Amino acid sequence: MSEALTAASVLAGRGIRISRRNPDAIVTSMMLPIMLMLVFVYFFGGAIETGTRYVTYVVPGVLVLCAGFGAASTAVGVSEDMRLGVVDRFRTLDVGGTSFLAGHVAATVVRNALSTGLVLGVAFAIGFRPAGTAAGWCAAIGLLLAWITTVSWLSAALGLVTRTPEAAGAITFFMMFLPYPSSAFVPIDTMPSWLHGFAEHQPVTPLIESMRGLLLGLPAGDAPWIALGWCAALLALAVAASGFLFRLRTR
């Protein structure tokens, strides 16, 4: 176990160093959520009625959207390593598939934490004023980290499915799309009735409602537990699928 953790930490450091050598990818993953937040707040916010200042309403959704953009790099990184044969070199050093994938996921979590901090900083600059308690903030951050870890493992599995980094980047679009048919940017009751069922019961909606309640000091109900349940189920599925796909690709 200790050897696996050591290998995962070393590979996480490798992933972070690779990211530092690709500043264009880092800037894109950080700036795109910020640009979307500015577009929604300043272009559409005046026309959307949410019962509160729109910047206050939209920031939790943007943070979740940011997690999806950041996680996409996991799929690209895994696919690139598989294509270039880097994994074969690691296997000669007795590095297992779990350590290899965990290293990619850990590097993604670090990158996402930095981009999330940047998004929050810009949000405060344009008027985001949360009223949540310290405990609420800690709970919201914990939920967001759980979601980032979950979507990063899902991206790792998608990176093993695809054969090229370009395909890996494209297939993660479906995860990045999830915040849109949810309560991230507009109240669900303003959507067409045929969309309500999906928007209310997909995994992103309870996560956003939880973060909105915890950050703003509003009642969150059972949304945090539902969000944690989604994260636990999807994470278990992603880890199992990643292990199976890795063995299938490297046998």
Side-chain angles (χ1 to χ4, degrees):
M1 177 63 73
S2 61
E3 292 179 358
L5 290 175
T6 300
S9 64
V10 170
L11 291 171
R14 168 183 174 265
I16 294 172
R17 288 191 297 274
I18 290 174
S19 297
R20 287 165 49 191
R21 300 187 188 114
N22 293 278
D24 52 339
I26 296 178
V27 170
T28 300
S29 64
M30 289 185 175
M31 294 305 299
L32 191 53
I34 291 175
M35 294 302 298
L36 286 173
M37 178 171 62
L38 295 176
V39 166
F40 273 98
V41 171
Y42 291 114
F43 292 2
F44 307 136
I48 300 175
E49 180 58 46
T50 61
T52 184
R53 293 187 64 201
Y54 189 67
V55 64
T56 302
Y57 180 89
V58 79
V59 166
V62 173
L63 294 177
V64 174
L65 184 68
C66 182
F69 280 117
S73 62
T74 309
V76 175
V78 169
S79 180
E80 181 75 6
D81 281 349
M82 297 296 292
R83 184 178 69 88
L84 296 177
V86 175
V87 175
D88 294 331
R89 302 176 196 172
F90 289 152
R91 294 183 71 201
T92 63
L93 301 173
D94 199 26
V95 175
T98 301
S99 297
F100 166 70
L101 297 171
H104 273 286
V105 170
T108 300
V109 171
V110 172
R111 289 192 298 266
N112 251 323
L114 295 175
S115 61
T116 298
L118 180 60
V119 170
L120 269 176
V122 174
F124 277 107
I126 64 175
F128 181 56
R129 297 295 181 268
T133 63
W137 270 82
C138 290
I141 292 171
L143 277 174
L144 186 59
L145 286 175
W147 178 250
I148 290 171
T149 304
T150 299
V151 294
S152 297
W153 273 103
L154 286 170
S155 291
L158 293 175
L160 291 168
V161 169
T162 55
R163 297 290 176 175
T164 64
E166 293 77 13
I171 200 171
T172 55
F173 167 79
F174 295 102
M175 285 194 306
M176 293 186 286
F177 178 74
L178 273 180
Y180 292 99
S182 73
S183 61
F185 303 109
V186 298
I188 290 176
D189 57 13
T190 64
M191 299 177 183
S193 58
W194 55 267
L195 190 56
H196 287 184
F198 176 78
E200 290 174 354
H201 298 100
Q202 62 133 314
V204 168
T205 294
L207 175 66
I208 292 172
E209 293 300 318
S210 300
M211 294 187 60
R212 188 171 286 139
L214 293 168
L215 293 178
L216 304 182
L218 301 174
D222 58 355
W225 300 111
I226 297 175
L228 280 176
W230 271 110
C231 287
L234 291 174
L235 181 60
L237 175 64
V239 172
S242 297
F244 171 77
L245 290 169
F246 185 86
R247 290 190 296 272
L248 190 65
R249 287 285 303 272
T250 57
R251 66 182 181 183

